[in-house]
Amino acid sequence: MQGTTTRSGEERTRGAGSGVHDRALLAEVAPSGWRNPAPEGRYDLVVIGGGPAGLVAALGAAGMGRRVALIEQHRLGGDCLNAGCVPSKALIASGRALAAARRAPRLGVRLEGEPRADFPAVMERTRRLRAGLAPADGAGRLQAAGVALHFGAAHFTGRDTLEVAGQRLRFGRALIATGARPALPALPGLEEVLATGVLPVLTSDTVFELEALPARLAVIGAGAIGCELSQAFARLGARVHLIEGGRGLLPEEEPELRERLREALAVDGVELHGGGDDAALEVDERGARLRLGAGGEGRVLEVDALLLATGRTPNVEALDLEAAGVARGPAGVRVDDHLRTTNPRIYAAGDVCTAVRTTHGADAMARIVLRNALFPYLPGKARLSRRVIPRTLYTDPELARVGPTAAELRARGIRFETLKVDLASVDRARLEEEEGALILHVSRGLRGGRILGASLLGAQAGEILPLLTLALTEGIPLHRLAGVLHAYPTRAEVIKRAADAHLRRRLLDLRDRILRPWTLLGIARPLSRLSPP
């Protein structure tokens, strides 16, 4: 088959390390000398972007016997494999092991000497594990599945055509899954620092290329990425300054839980500062420093590296969306609840079109696109609004949530009641000397108890949340979870404690309703003994 030769894998991934594990990674996700196949007729589905959403859609459609092409500009696997979930969780695991070693004397375990990190070994492990997971997202798997894989920058040339590496592809349906990239803040002095190189400036895309641990690291942005990496680097031995913006630490989470997490970060040595919105970099002959704004009381921080974790920007600029009649929206590509764009032939999924920026969210959206794009005549289109997408912050303790917070429920005008269970009431947490809490929001009324939202702060919170996610998805009321047995002692008993508390509240409410007429008659005292156990 004739085709065109694109740039080598090394050229497509500038900044990649030259180690054996990086070469193994590139061999899978950006193979050198790859020859794009020659287009053959019209494809049933053309996918732009080889991250989680694009891979799920391409492999799923090919598995159904459809003619599929996938286009990737840089590396297959997207942020998740290359610069997100996979390397960050490997790094976090090393930090967690070191923290456990330092905590061992509290549990009666004596260690010789102070535990410390071998940072080059930590990064070598991170890259080795990343390379080991790469074949699942690699070119070989796509090729074996019958997907026509093209490397290069794609752009639309019409409502049903696009171009990549000088070749024109026609499609019946297309999926935009180009993801997002780190957004650089409007930080005074940043352009000068980037131009002169006086201070290493990192993002989530480049932080895993580090070979040496920065002695002093400033992290701007107190969202998920900022919190996770701040704690990990602090545990590994860096002095970490986490700079909050005006909205504070994790502004979308429950206030009580985020404040408890703030305390946990401080215990690990993370120094939290305000003033991020008005911060500035100062450069002179001595190097660069970070000056905080009024919220940080004008403090000047001497740092050895700067990590920017100030949000992400969807990758849409080079696609020529106008040529395809695809409109943009606040989150990137504008889509409806079926994930269809303003061109009915073209869909979008993942970070490029939504603020739900998680790997499992992208997976779910890709499945919605497969259903709606490839089977349009079947009744009952799939809708994004009907999917319940949980999220987990992989700090220690973890912060996991499904559904809206109390503030979001109030903003929607929804009546609810809240239950809180501290992990101190759960034996397993006490035996492990762990802290945290569960906050549950349920519908009100005698027939209430439907779970509306849940947030859990604690060890392995993300592993406990699925039962609550199932209950929310299927409309299972909380009182029914009281009958679900959990092995003793496990952390998941916190759910049963919440369900038991809610059941008692319902029974007391029922008793009061029954007694109310008798109370008016003055004969309720004997019946008041009818209290639940």
Side-chain angles (χ1 to χ4, degrees), residues 190-198:
L190 178 59
E191 290 187 6
E192 184 178 359
V193 168
L194 290 173
T196 60
V198 296

Side-chain angles (χ1 to χ4, degrees), residues 193-504:
V193 168
L194 290 173
T196 60
V198 296
L199 182 72
V201 178
L202 307 167
T203 68
S204 57
D205 279 358
T206 59
V207 67
F208 299 106
E209 297 174 8
L210 281 173
E211 300 291 347
L213 179 70
R216 300 169 299 183
L217 175 67
V219 181
I220 298 183
I225 294 174
C227 287
E228 288 183 1
L229 293 182
S230 290
Q231 186 180 49
F233 276 99
R235 285 177 160 184
L236 293 172
R239 181 179 181 183
V240 177
H241 301 279
L242 178 57
I243 316 302
E244 304 175 37
R247 299 178 64 201
L249 180 83
L250 298 169
E252 297 178 351
E253 304 301 332
E254 298 284 0
E256 178 181 331
L257 299 186
R258 69 185 186 221
E259 289 309 309
R260 294 180 72 159
L261 181 58
R262 177 191 298 273
E263 296 172 2
L265 294 176
V267 168
D268 279 316
V270 178
E271 301 177 42
L272 291 104
H273 309 277
D277 289 344
D278 301 312
L281 285 167
E282 299 177 346
V283 182
D284 57 26
E285 66 279 357
R286 295 176 298 167
R289 291 165 303 283
L290 180 65
R291 181 180 292 278
L292 304 181
E297 300 178 352
R299 183 174 180 180
V300 177
L301 302 178
E302 301 284 346
V303 297
D304 301 301
L306 180 66
L307 173 60
L308 302 177
T310 49
R312 298 182 68 78
T313 299
N315 295 318
V316 297
E317 293 83 1
L319 292 174
D320 287 345
L321 295 177
E322 296 79 6
V326 174
R328 300 188 191 185
V333 175
R334 185 191 302 171
V335 294
D336 61 16
D337 201 23
H338 307 298
L339 297 180
R340 188 171 57 182
T341 72
T342 49
N343 179 339
R345 291 178 177 271
I346 301 174
Y347 292 74
D351 295 4
V352 74
C353 66
T354 176
V356 184
R357 289 174 175 159
T358 63
T359 295
H360 52 281
D363 181 300
M365 285 184 268
R367 296 170 191 271
I368 291 173
V369 170
L370 286 176
R371 164 63 182 80
N372 294 336
L374 301 185
F375 301 97
Y377 303 111
L378 291 180
K381 289 183 178 295
R383 296 176 178 270
L384 180 61
S385 60
R386 294 177 181 171
R387 298 307 304 264
V388 176
I389 302 177
R391 56 190 297 175
T392 298
L393 178 70
Y394 294 95
T395 48
D396 189 8
E398 294 179 356
L399 178 53
R401 175 162 67 90
V402 62
T405 62
E408 292 169 337
L409 289 170
R410 284 192 290 268
R412 299 176 191 178
I414 298 175
R415 297 175 67 245
F416 66 97
E417 57 185 83
T418 299
L419 295 99
K420 299 181 182 180
V421 179
D422 199 286
L423 284 184
S425 66
V426 178
D427 290 355
R428 177 63 180 275
R430 295 184 64 181
L431 295 170
E432 300 276 354
E433 297 188 11
E434 298 167 351
E435 296 185 358
L438 170 65
I439 296 179
L440 277 174
H441 306 302
V442 298
S443 58
R444 296 182 61 179
L446 187 61
R447 295 181 177 273
R450 182 171 55 87
I451 296 174
L452 303 174
S455 294
L456 176 60
L457 178 71
Q460 299 182 348
E463 308 294 337
I464 302 171
L465 193 69
L467 178 59
L468 295 171
T469 302
L470 174 64
L472 197 158
T473 301
E474 299 298 328
I476 302 171
L478 181 58
H479 68 268
R480 287 186 58 188
L481 298 186
V484 177
L485 294 180
H486 299 278
Y488 175 86
T490 57
R491 298 175 181 88
E493 284 189 294
V494 68
I495 297 176
K496 183 170 176 58
R497 288 189 177 276
D500 285 342
H502 179 65
L503 182 58
R504 285 194 298 270

